[in-house]
Amino acid sequence: MNYLFYDKSLIYPENKNEYSPSEMYPEYPFKNISLCTEPNSVYTTIRKMFYLMELDRKNYGTEKWNPLGKWIKPGMKVCLKPNFVMHKNGSNNPDDLDSLVTHPSIIRCILDYCYIALEGKGTVIVGDSPVKDCDFNLLMKRRNYIDIVNFYNKVKSDFKVKFYDFRGPEEEGGQYNSKGEGILVNLGEKSWFYADSKNANKYRIPNYHYKRVIKHHNGLTQEYLINSIVLDADVIISIPKPKTHRKNGYTAALKNFVGVSYSKEYLPHHTEGSVKSGGDEYIVNGLIPRLTSTIRKYIDINRVKIDRKRKENPKSFLLNINNKTSHLMWILYNKINKLDSLLMKYRKASLAESAREGTWYGNDTLWRTVLDLNYILKYSNNKGEITEIPQRTILHFGDMIISGEKEGPMAPSPKEQHMLLFSDDVVDFDCIVTKIMGFDYKKFKGLYNAVGFYPLTKNKYEQIELKSNVLECNGLLDLINFRSISKPFVAGKGWRGHIEL
């Protein structure tokens, strides 16, 4: 089931009364608590979407209406997986969180309907594993997520909402209600890295020691560390923030599940070296790219040492030495990168040729990580054992009221879309998003391999159907033209000119 809702008047509400609805709907369970004093079009739209999707149609307009009851039953464990990538936007507008992370008004509305489906009993976990430098505590306050927690604390019932930082204790950024443990899942031959064994010693992810990364992906060892809370869930509702992505081209439902990891040292993001040497870190082999790659590798090694020494003895002499060394290496790294940029500009090199750290259309690494994680989420039981049947229900509810373009995911520019997208198929969702963005799904290695990959999806591309409140957006996706409601996105620099329709 795929449903797209578009309305030019659909905007985020102000934080009035913890994003409560502005109307007293028959099914609304908190009738003794004040409503939103200003229009909340997000709540109204999500409710309308559920009706148009014909969810529990017979009870619509009554107190018994339970649209999520199709998937969520009393006693089930429910987990919401939004996008909490970072506490600030890396663009010139650091306060722009609308294009960066999932908006709290969408989370609040979905939680209310989870409350109804669970008959007011149980705990719903809302969590993510953001990047290493994200200050989770600060994000909870800056984006007003804490107000949602406070709202449900006011409700005297057996229903609780908890926001969790899914990162393990070795990660930075501050823990927020950190619970769960890391469950090791080995995909072995089922991993998309298994057939790429020739590059096993070159896998990298910035901010992590390369030796730690490669030991998790070699031959029959293709392992990931997943937060146990996620694997314990009966139902996962993913709430991604679709936007462009420097290493993956775009991010939507598939990529959103990178945030279920307990430790990111298990997640290869690029392969060291030039294309000619079998890598995808940069295109053209040369002294400067090799030099910056080597410096960055030692910066990451030193960072791991600093993390360890900080925990052992925050006042140690060696820690001070490591901090100063790291500072000097960063200065050198940045100066060489500036020189590199000037030389590239002088040579009139293409945007892709200027790419470093796998931030270009030839990245042949990250998509493997993404597809592996989606396979795990669907087929791993809570012990980390891969089974032959799906272990949980996974739904996707995309926040596209404001998306992000250009240098996402960390420094996106806002792209007003006024859309919400629902799907119960992760591959369908991403195919719809990329076409809305004006990108060709076949140009993304991960999505191209996912389409028709029946462990993850039930459809081939030409079979994907979409329903919408917009007449011309109904029917087979392959035949729909979204230009009447969406202008093409501007891709990231390393992808621009290579992925557009």
Side-chain angles (χ1 to χ4, degrees):
M1 179 189 297
N2 305 309
Y3 196 94
L4 174 70
F5 192 97
Y6 168 81
D7 188 329
K8 188 70 174 177
S9 65
L10 177 58
I11 59 174
Y12 297 127
E14 296 294 325
N15 182 18
K16 304 290 185 181
N17 298 97
E18 299 92 8
Y19 304 104
S20 294
S22 48
E23 299 179 47
M24 184 60 73
Y25 300 117
E27 75 279 3
Y28 185 63
F30 311 117
K31 293 183 170 57
N32 295 326
I33 298 178
S34 300
L35 298 176
C36 186
T37 55
E38 296 183 6
N40 184 342
S41 60
V42 168
Y43 205 111
T44 301
T45 297
I46 293 175
R47 184 176 184 271
K48 187 181 294 184
M49 282 182 70
F50 289 157
Y51 170 75
L52 293 173
M53 290 161 59
E54 300 186 354
L55 298 175
D56 194 23
R57 177 66 72 91
K58 67 178 181 179
N59 288 316
Y60 178 76
T62 74
E63 292 184 355
K64 296 181 179 181
W65 192 48
N66 178 17
L68 294 185
K70 177 178 179 178
W71 300 286
I72 301 174
K73 308 298 180 186
M76 283 185 169
K77 296 179 180 179
V78 180
C79 175
L80 268 57
K81 169 57 185 74
N83 184 326
F84 291 160
V85 63
M86 188 61 173
H87 62 274
K88 62 180 180 179
N89 193 314
S91 69
N92 293 329
N93 184 8
D95 293 330
D96 169 32
L97 300 182
D98 285 346
S99 66
L100 185 72
V101 293
T102 304
H103 198 272
S105 62
I106 296 174
I107 296 174
R108 166 60 203 282
C109 181
I110 293 175
L111 282 169
D112 280 4
Y113 284 103
C114 287
Y115 178 99
I116 293 171
L118 293 170
E119 297 181 352
K121 297 179 182 179
T123 299
V124 176
I125 304 299
V126 184
D128 192 16
S129 177
V131 297
K132 195 174 184 69
D133 290 321
C134 176
D135 186 330
F136 205 92
N137 298 320
L138 181 57
L139 176 63
M140 291 301 103
K141 296 173 183 176
R142 290 196 70 205
R143 184 73 283 193
N144 301 320
Y145 298 122
I146 189 67
D147 293 337
I148 298 176
V149 177
N150 292 336
F151 172 83
Y152 286 103
N153 286 339
K154 290 192 301 184
V155 178
K156 295 182 178 180
S157 71
D158 296 324
F159 182 82
K160 301 297 179 186
V161 170
K162 295 183 179 180
F163 281 66
Y164 282 169
D165 184 343
F166 286 159
R167 296 174 297 180
E170 79 283 358
E171 301 282 3
E172 299 177 12
Q175 302 294 293
Y176 190 91
N177 287 340
S178 182
K179 302 291 181 183
E181 58 184 352
I183 302 295
L184 194 66
V185 185
N186 186 10
L187 282 177
E189 294 181 5
K190 294 183 182 295
S191 170
W192 286 90
F193 283 107
Y194 180 73
D196 191 50
S197 57
K198 66 181 184 299
N199 290 318
N201 290 325
K202 297 181 178 180
Y203 297 142
R204 303 288 185 264
I205 177 172
N207 299 318
Y208 296 83
H209 197 309
Y210 74 96
K211 289 185 178 179
R212 291 190 181 185
V213 179
I214 62 179
K215 76 176 182 178
H216 301 304
H217 295 277
N218 202 326
L220 287 172
T221 300
Q222 303 293 341
E223 59 190 15
Y224 297 85
L225 200 64
I226 310 299
N227 194 294
S228 59
I229 291 174
V230 180
L231 295 182
D232 275 336
D234 300 301
V235 178
I236 296 174
I237 302 178
S238 171
I239 319 176
K241 168 68 74 172
K243 50 190 169 180
T244 53
H245 192 289
R246 295 173 71 232
K247 292 193 176 185
N248 199 58
Y250 79 100
T251 174
L254 284 165
K255 178 66 173 58
N256 194 41
F257 287 135
V258 168
V260 303
S261 61
Y262 194 75
S263 172
K264 287 188 168 61
E265 72 177 48
Y266 294 75
L267 311 178
H269 273 50
H270 66 265
T271 301
E272 185 182 60
S274 66
V275 174
K276 189 176 182 179
S277 68
D280 59 20
E281 187 177 7
Y282 45 85
I283 297 177
V284 181
N285 193 20
L287 176 62
I288 291 180
R290 292 199 305 271
L291 183 59
T292 55
S293 176
T294 301
I295 294 172
R296 181 59 199 256
K297 181 162 63 176
Y298 284 100
I299 287 174
D300 293 339
I301 292 172
N302 198 54
R303 180 169 187 167
V304 173
K305 291 180 180 178
I306 290 172
D307 291 346
R308 186 180 68 249
K309 287 182 171 63
R310 185 182 291 123
K311 291 171 185 175
E312 292 172 353
N313 183 4
K315 297 181 180 179
S316 74
F317 175 73
L318 288 177
L319 176 60
N320 188 44
I321 296 277
N322 283 125
N323 278 327
K324 289 181 178 179
T325 301
S326 182
H327 178 67
L328 290 173
M329 283 195 294
W330 271 116
I331 291 175
L332 178 61
Y333 179 76
N334 289 328
K335 285 186 178 299
I336 293 176
N337 271 331
K338 286 183 179 179
L339 174 62
D340 188 22
S341 297
L342 289 172
L343 290 174
M344 285 291 177
K345 188 175 181 180
Y346 175 76
R347 287 179 47 229
K348 297 182 180 180
S350 68
L351 293 174
E353 283 183 295
S354 305
R356 300 292 180 263
E357 295 186 3
T359 58
W360 66 294
Y361 66 92
N363 187 310
D364 195 35
T365 308
L366 181 54
W367 68 266
R368 301 173 191 271
T369 297
V370 170
L371 294 192
D372 278 2
L373 288 169
N374 278 267
Y375 194 97
I376 288 171
L377 207 59
K378 190 169 183 178
Y379 292 102
S380 173
N381 63 22
N382 60 7
K383 297 178 182 178
E385 301 165 337
I386 297 298
T387 68
E388 296 299 321
I389 59 174
Q391 295 295 294
R392 53 195 59 83
T393 297
I394 304 174
L395 308 174
H396 312 274
F397 206 100
D399 174 8
M400 298 185 71
I401 297 174
I402 295 180
S403 292
E405 62 179 355
K406 299 179 182 177
E407 299 311 303
M410 303 289 291
S413 298
K415 176 79 169 175
E416 293 187 10
Q417 291 295 100
H418 310 285
M419 297 176 183
L420 291 171
L421 175 63
F422 172 89
S423 181
D424 58 2
D425 186 297
V426 66
V427 180
D428 283 10
F429 186 99
D430 278 33
C431 286
I432 295 167
V433 166
T434 52
K435 187 159 189 183
I436 289 173
M437 288 179 167
F439 301 153
D440 183 351
Y441 85 94
K442 296 188 293 296
K443 301 296 180 63
F444 303 102
K445 294 180 181 179
L447 189 52
Y448 178 75
N449 280 287
V451 171
F453 180 53
Y454 291 111
L456 293 185
T457 182
K458 57 184 180 292
N459 293 322
K460 295 181 180 179
Y461 188 81
E462 60 269 18
Q463 296 172 318
I464 299 174
E465 292 188 59
L466 178 64
K467 292 185 178 180
S468 175
N469 67 313
V470 179
L471 182 62
E472 58 267 35
C473 295
N474 283 270
L476 292 172
L477 177 63
D478 202 22
L479 304 178
I480 296 174
N481 186 336
F482 291 106
R483 294 292 74 84
S484 65
I485 62 172
S486 175
K487 294 181 179 180
F489 281 50
V490 178
K493 292 179 181 177
W495 297 76
R496 207 170 297 164
H498 296 275
I499 57 176
E500 293 82 359
L501 287 168

